[in-house]
Amino acid sequence: MSDALLPVFSPASVLFDHGEGAWLVAANGERYLDFGAGIAVNALGYSHPHLVGALERQGRKLWHLSNVYRISEAERLAERLTAACFADVAFFANSGAEANECAIKIARRHHDAHGRPERWRIITFDGAFHGRTLATMAAGGNRKYLDGFGPAVDGFDQCPLEDIEAVRARVGPRTAALMIEPIQGESGIRPVSHGFLRQLRELCDERGLLLIFDEIQCGMARTGHLFAHQEAGVVPDIMSLAKGLGGGFPIGACLATRGAAFGMRPGAHGSTFGGNPLAGAVANAVLDIVMDDGVLAEIRRKSALLRGLLEELAGRYPDLLVEVRGRGLMLGLKTTRPSPEIVEALRARAKVLTIAAGDTVTRVLPPLIVTDKDIRLFAERCDETFAGLSRPAA
Ligand SMILES: *Cc1c(COP(=O)(O)O)cnc(C)c1O
């Protein structure tokens, strides 16, 4: 890596040049099967003609306007997203963390505008990841990210997952909202039970709290449902999106009901770049593809195929692969070896790309357009690699 970059990342040494579908091609011509999709961002794979077309068309027309003018692409995107879920209004940002910042501000303002300014604290959950800005880092509560940056932003109270009594006990006169990922991503693909999400909804209704779902990783058709909460049948008041929303173009969104967003008036929030014409045009092109029942059904079918093949591998290498978990095309392989080792072995030995999560979970996040053929090839290459790593009892 160039030492001109702030050394906060430690990227793999391979240098990619271009990509097509689920494949990345390195500068030296080597082809890699990418089942990481830029951490669930490249939802439609690389060089998808519909996205390239939308980007090129908009690129010749108008890139940026500023929110001091109407932006037709953002208006259309907001209308389509809100029509597809519980929400009435959308705010566009440039990243997931910013979408969550907006969610936090909406929740605090909601209570302030209702004459309860003392309600500004938000309950979050163990293992959460909500971003790397000062507030979203505090919301995640991960010491690894917080240490060394001075006092954490105040206003977040953490609870264990799947323990409604603990949450109940934590809710106080200063609580404004509960914030949760319906499927935790960074900490190791941990789906939250639908029952627990339902209990959180009931608690929020009972105590006048807002429910925030962070669907930045699990949303945008990743689970085979446009939004993960739609499978659970539990509706939030506020939801953040990013990652797959722009198919690789940076855009985040915070969606809310009109009631939750009560208090957000002109000047209450803003963004220079958020929802600019280029980002809006590309995100609309992503929606053209994923907002289709047939496409969603295909994602569910392909996810069953992939999961079945991975579970076969878990049966074959029980000393290495202890669990396959997740939903849809958001899967995690829990291993007895550290995940960075698994990711590196798959990359170096089999030219297959995956993403580490937690300490011992390897994320499998193929592009949603992945073919059956590539799924089978992925499983074959995992098989070969695991055979080399596995140490069956003698
Ligand atoms: C990636 C992610 C974020 C942060 O998104 P950025 O675009 O990196 O700011 C927040 N929440 C979840 C669940 C994520 O997966």
Side-chain angles (χ1 to χ4, degrees):
M1 185 178 80
S2 164
D3 56 15
L5 287 170
L6 189 72
V8 293
F9 301 112
S10 32
S13 54
V14 59
L15 187 61
F16 293 114
D17 178 69
H18 62 279
E20 200 183 316
W23 291 83
L24 270 174
V25 184
N28 66 4
E30 287 177 341
R31 290 166 58 81
Y32 288 74
L33 182 56
D34 183 10
F35 272 43
I39 320 187
V41 167
N42 300 312
L44 302 183
Y46 299 98
S47 311
H48 193 289
H50 188 64
L51 292 197
V52 173
L55 183 88
E56 285 180 348
R57 228 172 300 114
Q58 190 62 41
R60 281 188 289 270
K61 244 172 98 182
L62 199 56
W63 295 12
H64 181 80
L65 263 176
S66 154
N67 287 298
V68 301
Y69 306 107
R70 287 181 59 181
I71 300 173
S72 63
E73 294 75 18
E75 290 183 9
R76 177 155 181 260
L77 184 63
E79 277 159 19
R80 297 173 81 190
L81 285 171
T82 55
C85 69
F86 69 94
D88 303 307
V89 291
F91 175 84
F92 296 113
N94 314 289
S95 66
E98 282 176 283
N100 279 337
E101 291 270 347
C102 179
I104 294 163
K105 287 177 75 173
I106 287 177
R108 290 183 177 188
R109 252 306 166 100
H110 170 90
H111 293 287
D112 184 82
H114 279 102
R116 302 183 295 259
E118 73 286 357
R119 286 203 192 184
W120 59 277
R121 304 192 67 84
I122 295 177
I123 290 178
T124 59
F125 292 87
D126 292 348
F129 181 80
H130 297 300
R132 300 294 283 270
T133 61
L134 289 165
T136 56
M137 209 162 61
N142 186 337
R143 292 293 354 154
K144 203 173 74 186
Y145 298 150
L146 282 162
D147 283 349
F149 295 105
V153 168
D154 195 10
F156 300 96
D157 301 308
Q158 216 145 27
C159 281
L161 280 171
E162 307 290 346
D163 183 350
I164 194 65
E165 287 318 315
V167 185
R168 218 170 248 294
R170 209 81 163 86
V171 171
R174 297 197 294 158
T175 307
L178 274 51
M179 180 164 172
I180 190 167
E181 296 156 83
I183 304 172
Q184 286 191 339
E186 303 298 310
S187 68
I189 312 289
R190 289 193 279 187
V192 176
S193 75
H194 295 168
F196 186 60
L197 294 178
R198 203 168 308 118
Q199 287 173 322
L200 295 180
R201 177 71 269 172
E202 286 162 9
L203 179 60
C204 285
D205 292 343
E206 198 183 302
R207 305 291 292 268
L209 309 175
L210 296 173
L211 184 59
I212 305 170
F213 283 169
D214 178 344
E215 291 220 19
I216 289 167
Q217 193 162 154
C218 64
M220 296 309 298
R222 184 51 51 193
T223 61
H225 302 266
L226 190 57
F227 303 115
H229 71 262
Q230 293 175 329
E231 184 182 17
V234 180
V235 167
D237 303 291
I238 303 171
M239 171 172 71
S240 48
L241 299 173
K243 294 210 162 85
L245 176 60
F249 198 96
I251 179 171
C254 179
L255 276 60
T257 63
R258 208 170 292 285
F262 182 78
M264 297 304 277
R265 308 212 161 82
H269 193 46
S271 167
T272 295
F273 295 117
N276 88 1
L278 212 44
V282 177
N284 270 304
V286 172
L287 289 192
D288 291 342
I289 310 279
V290 300
M291 269 189 178
D292 178 284
D293 288 338
V295 169
L296 292 170
E298 259 301 279
I299 294 169
R300 294 194 295 272
R301 186 191 62 76
K302 286 185 288 199
S303 92
L305 172 65
L306 175 59
R307 197 182 182 117
L309 291 169
L310 293 174
E311 268 160 10
E312 263 176 49
L313 291 183
R316 210 141 58 240
Y317 306 106
D319 63 309
L320 181 70
L321 178 49
V322 292
E323 190 192 357
V324 178
R325 63 198 196 195
R327 290 197 216 281
L329 291 175
M330 183 174 180
L331 298 175
L333 307 177
K334 172 105 176 128
T335 55
T336 50
R337 301 262 202 110
S339 47
E341 233 178 79
I342 305 286
V343 170
E344 178 55 22
L346 286 169
R347 186 184 69 76
R349 300 186 193 194
K351 297 203 167 44
V352 156
L353 305 177
T354 53
I355 309 265
D359 295 331
T360 53
V361 176
T362 299
R363 269 181 284 184
V364 178
L365 304 163
L368 307 177
I369 49 84
V370 68
T371 61
D372 288 13
K373 191 170 162 230
D374 287 343
I375 287 174
R376 291 183 199 285
L377 188 60
F378 175 78
E380 277 166 33
R381 290 188 178 186
C382 285
D383 193 351
E384 288 159 21
T385 307
F386 293 167
L389 292 176
S390 171
R391 294 197 200 97

